Amino acid sequence: MAQLPPPESAVLHEALKSNFGYDSFRPLQEEIISTSLENRDVVAILPTGAGKSICYQLPALVREGLTLVISPLIALMKDQVDALISNGVSATFLNSSLSFDDLQMRTSGLDRGEYKLLYAAPERILSPGFIDSLKRWNVTAVAIDEAHCVSEWGHDFRPEYRQLSTLRAALPEVPFIALTATATEQVQDDLINQLTLKDPALFNASFNRPNLSYTIIPKEKPVRQVFEFVSERKDESGIVYLQSRKSTESLAAALKAEGISALAYHAGLEPEIRAAAQDAFLRDEVNIICATVAFGMGIDKPNVRYVIHSDLPKNIESYYQETGRAGRDGLPADCLLLFSKGDLMRNLKFLDEVTDQRAAATARRQMNQMVAYAESQVCRRVELLGYFGEVHEEENCGGCDICLDPREEWDATVEAQKFLSCLIRIQQKSGFSLGMNHAIQVLTGANTEKIRKWGHNTITTYGIGSDHTRPEWAEIGGQLVQRGLAALSNDNFQTLNITEAGQAFLKNRDTLTLTRRPHKEGAKTSGSVARSGSVACDEGLFNQLREVRKQLATARSVPPYVIFGDVTLRHMARHYPESDAAFLALPGVGAKKLADFGVDFLTAVKNWLASNPKQTFTDEPASPRAKPKMKSENGVPGTALESLELFKSGLDLDGIAAKRNLTSGTICGHLTKAIDAGLIEIPRETFLSPEEDARIREAVDQHGLESIGKLHHALNREISYEKLNFYRVFEKQRKK
Ligand code: ADP
Ligand code: ZN
C-alpha cells in the first residue's frame, strides 16, 4: 500500500464539518486522528463523552479501504451505524442479530467495496473464513472500541477480546487504534501487550468532566429525595442507580404513581423486557430508568441530564463510570449521590459471608475509599480526579456542592450527646423507638398529640434542644446516622436507634466535629449546580424542535439523537436559522443532515417565529471558573439572587433584563426560583391580571400544568411563557 503523506489540518477540519457537522475538534481528537493517519498504532484514553468515535471514524473516511471496528455491544453497533449513515457515511455491521439474507447482502456489499466502516463484535473474528474475508476486503485500519476489555481486568466479561491477538497476527501491517475510558496503567500495559502494538502513540486526556456537577447529600428518605430531584427535571432523561433489583422496581413504581415516566431495569428481568426498557429510554419515550449497575454498559445516550446514586456505589471507579453516563453531549448534567453510612454497614455485612478473603478485603478497601470520598470536605472534582492520579488545580470548581456551598466544621459534642440521650430516653419511656422527626420534636419541646400521649414531655431531654431549629437538628441527626452513631431501622417505620458506636461515644465522653453551612439554613435536599457548557436558548422553541426530532426519529425507527443531539437543537433555538447556510453553520449539521432534515427544522423555526418574538442571547460564559458574584442560597443560584435584589429595588422584568444584559425570560426564571424557594412572596397580581389568571386557569383545567409549551399553544400563544411560569410557581406555593 502506497504511503500517502498525512493530510493537512485544513483537510481534517473540512472532513469534520462535512461529515459530522462540527467546526472544531475536541481536545486530542485532531492529534489522535493525524497520528493514526500516519499509520502508527495508537492508544487513546479519553473519558466518556470526549468523542472517541470520531477518532477512528474520521480517519476511516480519509483513508482508502475499509476500517474494521471491533465493538463489544451488539445493541450499540446498530445505533452507531445508523448515526453514521444519517451523516452520509457508508457503514455497516455484522453480528449474530442479523438474518441470513441480511448477512449475505452486507457481505456482498463488502465484497464490492461499498463501505468505509465495518463494525463487528469480537467473537466474529473466530467465525470461519472471517479473517480471509478481511484480507479480501482491503482492511486498512482496525479500531478497538472499549479496548479495556482486552485487559485481564476487562476480559472477565468479554473473553472474546482475548482473540484479538489473532487479528493482529493476521493483519500485521495494518495500524491499530485502541480506545477506552479506563485509565489505569495496568489496562494500558495489558492493551499494548495483548494486541502486540508496535511503539504505539499514547494519548491520555484529562478525566475532568467540566459539564458535570457533583452533589452528595445525606440519605434520609431516598424515594422522597429522588422524587423531589426528578420532579424539577420532568422532561429530562436520567438514570437512578440502586443496589437491589427489588428497589429498582419499587422506585419505578413509586415514581410512576406520581405521574413521572420511569421504568425499572435489572439483570433479573426477561431479556425482552430489559431490551424494551433500554430502547424506550434511548428513544426518549421514558425519561427515567431505575436500574441496578447492570444498566449502562453500552448506553450511548448523549442527553442523559442526571445520574442519581440512591445507594452507595461499590467503588470510586464505578461511581466515576456511572456518573460519566450523564452529559455526554457536553451540556450541563447533574450527579447526585444519596449518602448514608448505613449502606456501608450493610455492604460490609454482606462481605462477611464472602468466602474469598482476598476479594472481600479488596472490596472493603474500595468501599471505604468511596465513603472517604463522600465524607470529604474537599472539592469533589479535586478528590475524584486525584483518585485517578490527576491534579486539578482550581481553587473553586464551581460545579460541586463543596465549592458552591462551602461548609464549616463545628464542635457538635454537646448536641450529639443531647440527641443520642434523647433517643435512649424515648426508648426507655415507651419501650419502643420512634422516627427522626419525633426525636426532634421532643428535643425542641414541641407540643404534639403523640408527645402528650406517650408522656414524652416528661422525659429529661424534653426541650433541651431549643437552641437549634428543627432543620438544624435534622441535619445533625442525619450526620449522626452518617457517622454510624445512630441508625434508622430497615423496616417501613424507619425508627431511629442509638448504635453501639453511639453508646460508646457517650460512655467514653468522646468529642465530635460535624459540618454545617455557615449561613445556618435548612438542609437542602437536591441541587443542580454546574452550568459549564450550557447553551442558553429559546426554551419554547427548543421544546418544539424536540418534537420535530422525535417525529423524524420515530418515522425512521432510530433514537432521536441520531437525527440531532441536544447541542444542535439548542443552537438552533438560539440562532433561529432561516437559510440553508445558517442551518449548515450550526454545530452538528453537515451536508447530509442539511439535505435530509433542513426543510423540517427550518420550517419549524419559521412557524415558530410567525407567532413568537426572537429572543436575543448575550453570552453568559458559563465556564466553571466564572464565580457568581453572590453565593447561592436555598438552592437558588447567585445569579438569580442578583436579579432578586434588583427586583426588590423596584425594577420590573424588562428593567432587570436590560440592566443585567439578560433576557426577560431568564429573569423570570430567576424570580420563579426565588419564589419557589420561599425567598420572597410576590402577590400574583404583580404578574397576572385577573383576566389572564382566569384564562390560564381554564386552560390548566384542560391541559394540566406539566407542559408550559402546551399551555402556551392552547392559549393561542397570547399569554407569554413568563406569565405561565409565574402562574405555575404561584400555584405551587398556594398548595404548599
Ligand atoms: P465517547 O465514545 O468518547 O464517550 P462519543 O464518540 O460518543 O464519545 O461522542 C460524544 C458526543 O460528542 C457525541 O454526541 C459526538 O457527536 C460529540 N462530538 C464528538 N466530537 C465532537 C466535536 N469535535 N465537536 C462537537 N461534538 C463532538
Ligand atoms: Zn468543587
Side-chain angles (χ1 to χ4, degrees):
M1 186 177 56
Q3 186 105 1
L4 299 168
E8 309 257 324
S9 175
V11 176
L12 297 183
H13 275 88
E14 165 51 30
L16 181 68
K17 181 64 195 168
S18 61
N19 294 293
F20 302 98
Y22 299 125
D23 288 319
S24 56
F25 285 105
R26 294 240 181 101
L28 293 185
Q29 279 180 331
E30 188 176 1
E31 292 88 326
I32 292 171
I33 289 168
S34 51
T35 309
S36 173
L37 285 170
E38 287 166 15
N39 290 335
R40 243 185 107 176
D41 286 344
V42 171
V43 174
I45 299 171
L46 305 177
T48 309
K52 284 187 279 297
S53 318
I54 283 180
C55 295
Y56 57 82
Q57 289 170 346
L58 197 149
L61 301 178
V62 175
R63 20 167 92 91
E64 55 166 312
L66 178 72
T67 293
L68 170 67
V69 184
I70 302 294
S71 166
L73 294 147
I74 292 185
L76 217 73
M77 241 178 245
K78 178 174 180 317
D79 287 344
Q80 290 200 333
V81 167
D82 282 346
L84 283 166
I85 293 173
S86 80
N87 271 319
V89 175
S90 62
T92 189
F93 65 90
L94 297 178
N95 67 31
S96 53
S97 76
L98 297 173
S99 69
F100 181 76
D101 286 350
D102 199 354
L103 206 63
Q104 285 291 306
M105 208 175 68
R106 287 166 196 254
T107 314
S108 335
L110 285 159
D111 285 337
R112 289 192 299 269
E114 280 171 9
Y115 299 110
K116 296 305 295 178
L117 286 125
L118 164 63
Y119 282 73
E123 49 270 31
R124 176 111 332 226
I125 295 161
L126 296 181
S127 71
F130 186 67
I131 297 266
D132 289 335
S133 305
L134 287 180
K135 290 181 178 161
R136 207 168 63 237
W137 291 335
N138 187 23
V139 173
T140 50
V142 175
I144 316 281
D145 206 0
E146 311 284 353
H148 57 270
C149 297
V150 175
S151 149
E152 285 289 346
W153 167 80
H155 87 272
D156 287 347
F157 47 93
R158 297 303 302 202
E160 310 83 10
Y161 262 73
R162 291 305 243 195
Q163 310 303 332
L164 292 178
S165 48
T166 322
L167 188 62
R168 181 76 217 214
L171 303 169
E173 299 300 318
V174 174
F176 272 48
I177 172 168
L179 308 108
T180 174
T182 305
T184 65
E185 270 180 37
Q186 166 91 49
V187 168
Q188 260 175 55
D189 292 348
D190 278 358
L191 257 173
I192 296 173
N193 293 329
Q194 290 297 324
L195 297 173
T196 48
L197 299 182
K198 287 169 281 191
D199 178 31
L202 202 67
F203 296 91
N204 206 330
S206 163
F207 271 62
N208 186 20
R209 302 279 311 275
N211 61 317
L212 299 191
S213 80
Y214 301 95
T215 303
I216 302 181
I217 60 172
K219 172 160 151 182
E220 285 150 10
K221 294 185 174 160
V223 174
R224 181 90 228 141
Q225 288 170 303
V226 169
F227 170 72
E228 279 174 11
F229 186 90
V230 304
S231 43
E232 286 171 19
R233 299 162 173 77
K234 273 218 170 104
D235 296 329
E236 298 178 342
S237 287
I239 306 173
V240 187
Y241 282 112
L242 299 119
Q243 194 166 23
S244 77
R245 296 175 179 186
K246 219 176 100 208
S247 50
T248 64
E249 294 187 6
S250 57
L251 178 64
L255 293 176
K256 261 191 259 180
E258 297 283 352
I260 289 178
S261 126
L263 281 177
Y265 184 106
H266 59 73
L269 294 172
E270 294 295 320
E272 306 84 69
I273 297 185
R274 240 171 12 187
Q278 174 165 334
D279 225 43
F281 185 61
L282 288 180
R283 294 177 202 285
D284 284 344
E285 281 153 16
V286 65
N287 286 342
I288 302 173
I289 290 285
C290 305
T292 61
V293 291
F295 184 75
M297 258 301 279
I299 290 302
D300 213 351
K301 187 174 165 57
N303 63 337
V304 174
R305 292 271 72 84
Y306 58 85
V307 168
I308 301 176
H309 282 91
S310 180
D311 297 313
L312 193 68
K314 67 176 191 293
N315 55 42
I316 296 183
E317 275 101 347
S318 318
Y319 172 73
Y320 179 81
Q321 197 173 44
E322 285 145 19
T323 52
R325 294 184 182 131
R328 293 173 75 121
D329 55 11
L331 294 172
D334 300 314
C335 310
L336 177 71
L337 167 65
L338 304 184
F339 173 65
S340 136
K341 212 140 187 192
D343 285 351
L344 173 73
M345 301 303 166
R346 203 171 26 243
N347 293 348
L348 289 178
K349 222 179 249 159
F350 282 132
L351 283 178
D352 289 343
E353 284 144 38
V354 172
T355 42
D356 181 345
Q357 281 309 309
R358 256 188 65 196
T362 309
R364 265 189 214 105
R365 185 173 42 79
Q366 293 186 334
M367 250 179 249
N368 284 320
Q369 284 173 328
M370 187 62 218
V371 169
Y373 168 74
E375 285 187 335
S376 152
Q377 292 303 313
V378 175
C379 166
R380 309 284 181 208
R381 206 173 297 277
V382 166
E383 291 274 292
L384 202 52
L385 294 173
Y387 181 81
F388 294 104
E390 208 178 309
V391 181
H392 187 72
E393 291 181 5
E394 213 167 19
E395 201 190 312
N396 183 322
C397 86
C400 81
D401 55 340
I402 305 282
C403 291
L404 289 172
D405 217 354
R407 300 174 72 89
E408 63 186 16
E409 296 197 326
W410 62 291
D411 178 5
T413 306
V414 174
E415 280 77 3
Q417 288 167 347
K418 285 180 181 173
F419 197 107
L420 295 172
S421 37
C422 186
L423 297 183
I424 297 176
R425 297 287 164 258
I426 290 174
Q427 160 77 31
Q428 277 176 349
K429 176 85 187 172
S430 298
F432 51 82
S433 337
L434 288 149
M436 169 93 74
N437 255 337
H438 185 80
I440 292 172
Q441 284 170 345
V442 174
L443 276 170
T444 51
N447 182 13
T448 70
E449 198 204 313
K450 276 188 192 167
I451 288 181
R452 289 193 303 271
K453 183 170 80 186
W454 288 319
H456 291 172
N457 46 1
T458 63
I459 61 183
T460 51
T461 50
Y462 182 74
I464 57 168
S466 49
D467 49 342
H468 287 283
T469 64
R470 284 186 201 167
E472 281 167 4
W473 278 116
E475 193 168 1
I476 295 168
Q479 291 190 39
L480 293 177
V481 173
Q482 259 180 40
R483 302 289 179 97
L485 300 181
L488 288 164
S489 64
N490 267 330
D491 51 29
N492 287 339
F493 303 106
Q494 297 249 320
T495 57
L496 191 61
N497 296 285
I498 183 164
T499 60
E500 273 173 37
Q503 307 269 15
F505 165 82
L506 291 178
K507 191 159 150 257
N508 303 338
R509 305 195 161 270
D510 288 342
T511 57
L512 182 72
T513 307
L514 296 179
T515 63
R516 65 180 169 200
R517 300 210 170 80
H519 298 306
K520 292 208 167 192
E521 19 171 284
K524 194 173 81 179
T525 53
S526 69
S528 147
V529 284
R531 298 284 61 113
S532 173
S534 64
V535 179
C537 73
D538 184 331
E539 298 292 336
L541 175 55
F542 175 63
N543 281 331
Q544 195 72 35
L545 297 173
R546 284 218 298 205
E547 279 306 309
V548 174
R549 174 175 70 179
K550 193 151 184 188
Q551 280 163 19
L552 291 169
T554 308
R556 287 165 177 72
S557 323
V558 295
Y561 65 79
V562 166
I563 309 288
F564 283 126
D566 283 5
V567 178
T568 304
L569 292 197
R570 295 193 77 86
H571 277 276
M572 222 180 275
R574 180 185 170 96
H575 298 291
Y576 305 93
E578 293 179 77
S579 66
D580 282 4
F583 197 73
L584 195 58
L586 299 169
V589 181
K592 167 82 175 155
K593 293 220 170 158
L594 169 66
D596 287 352
F597 308 124
V599 174
D600 295 278
F601 286 97
L602 285 169
T603 311
V605 172
K606 194 168 150 207
N607 289 344
W608 177 262
L609 288 178
S611 42
N612 296 280
K614 249 189 211 181
Q615 300 181 17
T616 46
F617 299 93
T618 47
D619 270 310
E620 247 183 300
S623 101
R625 275 161 225 275
K627 282 184 221 168
K629 286 196 206 100
M630 293 181 77
K631 273 205 178 124
S632 67
E633 194 184 333
N634 277 353
V636 180
T639 174
L641 296 176
E642 284 178 47
S643 297
L644 181 61
E645 285 315 307
L646 292 171
F647 180 77
K648 284 182 183 161
S649 77
L651 288 180
D652 64 9
L653 278 196
D654 290 336
I656 304 172
K659 180 139 187 154
R660 299 203 59 199
N661 212 3
L662 298 170
T663 65
S664 57
T666 305
I667 307 301
C668 161
H670 291 166
L671 294 185
T672 50
K673 271 211 183 77
I675 297 172
D676 195 18
L679 296 181
I680 185 171
E681 279 189 40
I682 305 177
R684 40 195 310 145
E685 303 79 65
T686 315
F687 295 112
L688 301 168
S689 71
E691 291 79 2
E692 286 168 334
D693 215 349
R695 274 196 70 193
I696 301 175
R697 174 149 307 127
E698 215 175 274
V700 168
D701 285 342
Q702 238 186 335
H703 302 279
L705 255 177
E706 279 72 38
S707 164
I708 295 286
K710 210 186 214 171
L711 271 183
H712 185 66
H713 201 83
L715 289 158
N716 299 327
R717 305 195 174 104
E718 283 159 349
I719 296 190
S720 70
Y721 275 98
E722 280 96 286
K723 287 188 188 286
L724 293 172
N725 276 313
F726 278 120
Y727 183 92
R728 175 149 74 179
V729 73
F730 289 139
E731 285 304 292
K732 206 168 150 194
Q733 285 307 107
R734 202 165 58 84
K735 286 184 188 141
K736 266 187 190 164

